[in-house]
Amino acid sequence: MLKTLDRALSRLGFCSRTEAAEWIRGGRVRVNGRAQTDPETWVDLDRDRITVDGRPLAPSRRIYLLLYKPKGYLTTWRDPQGRPTVYDLLGKLRQWIFPVGRLDLDTSGLLLMTNDSEFAELISNPDYHVPKTYLVKASTLLSDAQLAALRHGVELKDGRTRPAEVIRLRDSGGRTFFEITITEGRNRQVRRMVEAVGSKVLKLVRTAIGPVRIGSLEIGKWRTLTPAEVRALTECAKRGARRAAKEQSRRLPPEAV
Ligand code: URA
């Protein structure tokens, strides 16, 4: 398994790639006994002996968390403007983990975090269409035709949206509350879709990713995913990967397959 040294350190769950590069440039990392100060050095994780501060690297335990991100928290490590980030909610957790995809500052709800970059890549690969479910409070009452448009796909500046599942939950106080499940993760997609049908999002909460639901978790809290949830999410994304591969082979001319 060949990887650059900085990627190898972050893949094993020790730190971010940026931190890894700092450690490497600082001379803290040795490969087969020799100090390596170039983060781009190729290493073979199956053969090379890598040490940090003299300690051999052992792959760290895989962690998979589900965090209920509150509105107003960034999905980044640090914010130059000093705004709160999801890392402020993790308490004493010592291992380096990172978010699987992003949630807007103004959006609350389910955020997965892990140190398993293969898992993260699988779940967030846009070609695998892992479904994401949101609760939406719209600024107006939405007609059946407006909800049907969301369901069938609306034209956005980056292209038409894929079909979505849309369920009206209730109409009250001049607002429609509905649930939408999309299989894409474009930037501010739900907000832009609702604007495309002539309304606005007042509140947006992500309640599920694939088969994993936020359930009764309190806002700002996290819990670890069960092994069954990790398996179910992985299987969901792998089914998407198989579908994507099939579709691609259908699009290729027969002689290229
Ligand atoms: N759609 C949005 O508009 N915002 C998000 O954070 C996620 C999906």
Side-chain angles (χ1 to χ4, degrees):
M1 216 197 325
L2 278 181
K3 300 230 163 298
T4 57
L5 190 50
D6 58 346
R7 200 177 273 274
L9 292 186
S10 78
R11 165 131 318 186
L12 290 171
F14 283 92
C15 52
S16 69
R17 252 180 102 185
T18 317
E19 280 179 302
E22 279 167 20
W23 293 2
I24 298 162
R25 289 199 193 94
R28 296 172 58 189
V29 181
R30 288 178 172 262
V31 180
N32 302 324
R34 293 182 56 190
Q36 288 293 352
T37 51
D38 179 1
E40 298 284 313
T41 305
W42 289 99
V43 289
D44 182 340
L45 279 179
D46 295 327
R47 292 183 179 192
D48 291 322
R49 207 168 48 81
I50 305 170
T51 56
V52 178
D53 298 334
R55 279 196 300 273
L57 287 193
S60 54
R61 193 170 55 86
R62 296 292 183 221
I63 308 182
Y64 306 89
L65 299 189
L66 182 167
L67 170 75
Y68 192 156
K69 178 186 116 49
K71 181 179 162 176
Y73 280 71
L74 288 161
T75 329
T76 47
W77 165 231
R78 288 248 168 80
D79 178 42
Q81 296 171 45
R83 287 170 296 180
T85 81
V86 290
Y87 289 92
D88 297 327
L89 301 167
L90 298 179
K92 293 206 181 76
L93 194 84
R94 298 194 70 84
Q95 265 171 292
W96 165 253
I97 56 170
F98 53 87
V100 178
R102 297 200 173 275
L103 263 188
D104 292 345
L105 184 68
D106 304 332
T107 304
S108 59
L110 194 165
L111 183 71
L112 297 174
M113 297 187 79
T114 184
N115 57 0
D116 180 345
S117 42
E118 254 166 61
F119 172 82
E121 279 162 28
L122 193 62
I123 304 303
S124 50
N125 187 320
D127 294 336
Y128 301 166
H129 301 313
V130 173
K132 295 173 193 85
T133 303
Y134 298 84
L135 275 181
V136 186
K137 177 181 179 184
S139 62
T140 56
L141 283 176
L142 296 181
S143 65
D144 287 345
Q146 283 170 303
L147 293 185
L150 294 173
R151 205 170 278 130
H152 293 128
V154 291
E155 211 54 62
L156 300 180
K157 66 175 189 307
D158 48 359
R160 197 172 179 78
T161 58
R162 287 170 53 83
E165 270 176 40
V166 176
I167 302 170
R168 184 193 298 280
L169 298 174
R170 66 178 196 279
D171 292 334
S172 95
R175 324 276 195 208
T176 292
F177 295 76
F178 68 96
E179 186 181 84
I180 183 165
T181 302
I182 57 174
T183 53
E184 303 166 281
R186 302 193 220 166
N187 190 27
R188 299 177 76 81
Q189 180 170 342
V190 176
R191 290 172 198 279
R192 292 191 291 134
M193 287 174 77
V194 173
E195 279 162 25
V197 299
S199 186
K200 271 194 166 9
V201 167
L202 293 183
K203 187 170 180 187
L204 188 62
V205 186
R206 183 154 72 191
T207 55
I209 297 185
V212 171
R213 303 196 68 87
I214 205 157
S216 55
L217 189 67
E218 273 176 54
I219 193 155
K221 302 281 188 220
W222 58 269
R223 67 169 177 87
T224 50
L225 292 183
T226 64
E229 285 175 320
V230 175
R231 271 198 305 277
L233 271 167
T234 306
E235 210 17 71
C236 172
K238 284 190 172 165
R239 274 196 302 275
R242 287 195 289 273
R243 255 194 322 267
K246 232 189 233 167
E247 268 163 36
Q248 195 178 3
S249 70
R250 225 179 280 137
R251 278 198 300 269
L252 289 172
E255 62 277 12
V257 180

